[in-house]
């Protein structure tokens, strides 16, 4: 019997990827809402999107066997609501929010893994006394601030001085409404403890600066069992907070990865998260031999899909689809064509600029042909402002992304340099 799987924000690239998964010969994938609605805008009307999604599902003449997604907010927070209404598998809204509401998440971590949880506090960026209250909570410069709900590294700032905090709060006050209003719409539908309900969507987190070698552990929970299946390294540009590339498999020592996996099992079981995918970001402080848990995301990392396909044989969307259908994921291991794989981010470190030149489609195709299996996505077009790009960190703009594989890590970096020689971007009106 045909199974119907609805994918929130399905685009052409992922639609093609899904056809290469295991055990999908009897599955038909249907788009639910457009990519533009759930990603390409910076303003989200979650009640309106839920209403539109429900209208599509109600009008469907067939079985609704799964509702899945692979994107961060707002998709991740909409899925439990849709799945609960239509009786398909997913984590509960409350267990998801214990991961995505950063203050609630840190509070839960402090209960069960305090040794891996940095000092933290919530604060209201519209409170003129916020900095002194952060100090009263035991935090000193430097510390890091971010919204209690965000995606990527958006509106995250390292604070080394009162001037840094003033700059960060100015930006937060101006832009946090784009996050807080839709997130509050989700919080209103959840059964929250009083202490968490008081920390509304416009609140932010301040926490101790943690660091070291960063990575992401990918996993899932199925019928109460937590399974981890891969660790991806997150390599930053020197001296800045922006990512240079994601590398799979991880180069971290096996014992460190195994400890991270055990911490992941412990925290996800404590949260009660079940029947859904997740990924957890960690730091390993090599000097202190200390593992810090950075944050929990309630989805697969979409950026890692090609990496798993190149190294393990299929995209880890396999996990998302199998779980949505109530099946234990059939995720292969080391059955791909490459030993290592990476997503590289070509970035510019401006406050803003105008794109004077971007490579044409033909130029991108020629560049990709330099290394077999390379995929390139250019994020900009001639004439646009870099500030128009969605989901950027506070320090740079990701102008292009490149996915590629190789037999060794050194060959992978060499391949990246060869491809980038073929891509030419130019900028004017640069704001430093």
């Amino acid at each position: 019997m045909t199974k119907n799987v609805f994918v929130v924000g399905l685009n052409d690239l992922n639609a093609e990827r899904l056809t290469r998964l295991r055990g999908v010969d009897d599955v038909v994938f249907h788009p639910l809402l457009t990519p533009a609605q759930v990603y390409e805008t910076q303003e989200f009307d979650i009640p309106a999107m839920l209403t539109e999604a429900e209208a599509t599902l109600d009008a469907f003449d067939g079985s609704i066997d799964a509702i899945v997604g692979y994107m961060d907010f707002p998709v991740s927070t909409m899925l439990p609501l849709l799945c609960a209404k239509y009786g398909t598998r997913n984590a509960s809204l409350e267990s998801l929010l214990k991961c995505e509401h950063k203050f609630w998440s840190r509070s839960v971590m402090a209960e069960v893994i305090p040794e891996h949880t940095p000092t933290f506090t919530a604060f209201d960026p519209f409170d003129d006394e916020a900095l002194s209250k952060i100090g009263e909570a035991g935090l000193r410069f430097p510390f890091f601030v971010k919204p209690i709900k965000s995606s990527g590294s958006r509106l995250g700032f390292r604070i080394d001085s009162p001037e840094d905090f003033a700059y960060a709060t100015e930006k937060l006050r101006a832009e946090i409404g784009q996050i807080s209003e839709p997130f509050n719409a989700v919080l209103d539908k959840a059964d929250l403890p009083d202490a968490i309900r008081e920390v509304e969507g416009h609140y932010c987190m301040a926490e101790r600066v943690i660091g070291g070698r960063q990575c992401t552990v990918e996993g899932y929970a199925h019928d109460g069992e937590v399974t981890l299946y891969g660790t991806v390294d997150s390599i930053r540009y020197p001296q800045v907070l922006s990512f240079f590339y994601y590398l799979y498999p991880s180069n971290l020592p096996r014992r460190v990865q195994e400890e991270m996996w055990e911490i992941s099992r412990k925290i996800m079981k404590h949260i009660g998260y079940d029947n859904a995918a997740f990924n957890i970001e960690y730091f390993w402080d090599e000097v202190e031999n200390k593992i810090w848990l950075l944050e929990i995301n309630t989805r697969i990392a979409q950026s890692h899909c090609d990496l798993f396909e190149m190294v393990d044989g299929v995209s880890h969307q396999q996990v998302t689809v199998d779980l949505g259908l109530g099946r234990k994921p059939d995720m292969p291991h080391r059955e791909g064509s490459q030993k290592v794989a990476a997503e590289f981010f070509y970035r510019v470190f401006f406050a803003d600029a105008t794109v004077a030149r971007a490579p044409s489609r033909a130029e991108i195709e020629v560049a990709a042909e330099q290394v077999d299996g390379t995929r390139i996505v250019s994020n900009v077009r001639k004439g646009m402002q870099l500030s128009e790009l969605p989901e950027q960190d506070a320090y740079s703009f990701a102008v292009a992304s490149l996915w590629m594989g190789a037999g060794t890590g050194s060959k992978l970096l060499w391949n990246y340099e060869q491809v980038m020689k073929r891509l030419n971007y130019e900028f004017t009106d640069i704001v430093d």
Side-chain angles (χ1 to χ4, degrees):
M1 176 181 278
T2 298
K3 298 180 178 64
N4 296 295
V5 176
F6 287 81
V7 185
V8 181
L10 181 64
N11 60 20
D12 292 340
L13 171 64
N14 283 292
E16 197 270 332
R17 272 195 192 122
L18 292 172
T19 64
R20 300 196 295 271
L21 301 183
R22 297 180 171 195
V24 297
D25 292 343
D26 60 345
V27 174
V28 177
F29 295 101
H30 305 270
L32 188 62
L33 302 177
T34 67
Q37 287 174 287
V38 299
Y39 178 72
E40 294 171 14
T41 180
Q42 295 191 26
E43 296 185 4
F44 304 110
D45 185 340
I46 287 183
M49 287 192 288
L50 286 170
T51 297
E52 181 176 338
E54 290 167 5
T56 300
L57 293 166
D58 290 342
F60 182 68
D61 185 19
S63 63
I64 299 172
D65 299 290
I67 305 171
V68 302
Y70 43 77
M71 294 180 183
D72 202 341
F73 185 77
V75 174
S76 57
T77 48
M78 293 168 59
L79 286 172
L81 298 170
L82 291 170
C83 290
K85 180 171 182 176
Y86 293 93
T88 60
R89 287 286 194 108
N90 201 273
S92 69
L93 177 60
E94 286 72 24
S95 68
L96 177 137
L97 289 173
K98 287 180 183 178
C99 303
E100 295 213 0
H101 186 299
K102 294 188 187 300
F103 179 71
W104 198 1
S105 185
R106 282 297 192 211
S107 300
V108 171
M109 292 177 204
E111 295 171 358
V112 67
I113 52 167
E115 67 275 25
H116 305 293
T117 307
T119 305
F120 67 96
T121 190
F123 71 94
D124 183 346
F126 294 92
D127 181 358
D128 291 336
E129 302 300 318
L131 184 56
S132 63
K133 292 177 181 178
I134 289 170
E136 291 169 6
L139 285 163
R140 301 291 183 267
F141 300 122
F143 56 87
F144 202 80
V145 300
K146 55 190 173 184
I148 62 155
K149 179 67 202 118
S150 187
S151 56
S153 300
R154 185 182 177 195
L155 294 179
F157 302 90
R158 178 186 166 105
I159 308 300
D160 290 284
S161 67
E163 291 75 20
D164 286 346
F165 188 75
Y167 172 79
T169 53
E170 180 182 0
K171 296 286 287 184
L172 288 162
R173 290 175 179 183
E175 300 180 29
I176 201 167
Q178 297 174 355
I179 303 169
S180 64
E181 292 181 16
F183 191 48
N184 279 334
V186 175
L187 295 179
D188 287 343
K189 296 178 180 294
D191 182 13
L192 305 176
D194 290 342
I196 302 303
R197 187 169 295 282
E198 292 173 358
V199 183
E200 298 179 350
H202 72 276
Y203 270 68
C204 295
M205 288 285 293
E207 59 186 40
R208 170 184 169 179
V209 171
I210 54 178
R213 294 171 63 179
Q214 188 172 353
C215 70
T216 300
V217 170
E218 297 276 1
Y220 62 86
H222 175 255
D223 288 347
E225 180 182 353
V226 178
T227 299
L228 296 313
Y229 58 86
T231 305
V232 179
D233 287 342
S234 302
I235 313 299
R236 297 180 185 271
Y237 280 87
Q239 309 303 316
V240 294
L241 294 174
S242 301
F243 291 119
F244 178 19
Y245 63 98
Y246 299 140
L247 176 69
Y248 181 66
S250 170
N251 282 327
L252 290 175
R254 173 52 55 185
R255 64 173 179 82
V256 174
Q257 294 187 54
E258 289 175 353
E259 185 175 354
M260 290 176 175
W261 286 25
E262 184 54 38
I263 296 167
S264 302
R265 294 186 188 97
K266 191 173 184 178
I267 186 62
M268 299 312 287
K269 281 183 173 289
H270 181 72
I271 286 171
Y273 188 87
D274 203 7
N275 297 312
F278 63 85
N279 69 76
I280 304 181
E281 298 175 52
Y282 287 97
F283 282 111
W284 176 48
D285 184 332
E286 191 171 3
V287 175
E288 299 291 335
N289 191 27
K290 178 79 171 179
I291 293 174
W292 295 106
L293 195 158
L294 178 58
E295 65 182 23
I296 306 170
N297 301 300
T298 56
R299 55 180 170 76
I300 63 167
Q302 187 183 178
S303 285
H304 300 164
C305 288
D306 285 1
L307 312 190
F308 279 96
E309 184 162 15
M310 284 186 268
V311 175
D312 287 340
V314 297
S315 160
H316 61 160
Q317 287 169 313
Q318 183 78 50
V319 172
T320 299
V321 172
D322 282 343
L323 289 171
L325 290 169
R327 309 188 298 209
K328 184 175 176 62
D330 180 21
M331 188 68 198
H333 183 72
R334 305 298 187 264
E335 296 182 18
S337 61
Q338 306 292 335
K339 295 294 185 183
V340 296
E343 178 188 5
F344 292 93
F345 301 94
Y346 174 62
R347 296 182 182 272
V348 292
F349 296 88
F350 308 141
D352 201 2
T354 301
V355 180
R357 185 189 189 282
S360 66
R361 181 185 298 271
E363 289 173 318
I364 291 172
E365 290 174 354
V366 169
E369 290 171 356
Q370 303 306 299
V371 178
D372 188 46
T374 295
R375 182 168 70 87
I376 302 172
V377 173
S378 180
N379 301 323
V380 300
R381 65 185 183 280
K382 182 179 178 180
M384 75 176 287
Q385 294 294 118
L386 292 177
S387 54
E388 296 176 39
L389 287 168
E391 303 296 325
Q392 300 297 303
D393 66 34
Y395 303 98
S396 68
F397 293 98
V399 172
S401 294
L402 296 82
W403 290 263
M404 57 180 59
T408 65
S410 58
K411 178 63 172 176
L412 192 64
L413 289 166
W414 189 87
N415 286 347
Y416 170 73
E417 295 295 337
Q418 303 315 301
V419 172
M420 284 308 305
K421 289 177 181 178
R422 300 278 183 163
L423 297 179
N424 182 22
Y425 290 90
E426 296 176 5
F427 305 92
T428 60
D429 307 321
I430 295 172
V431 181
D432 291 324

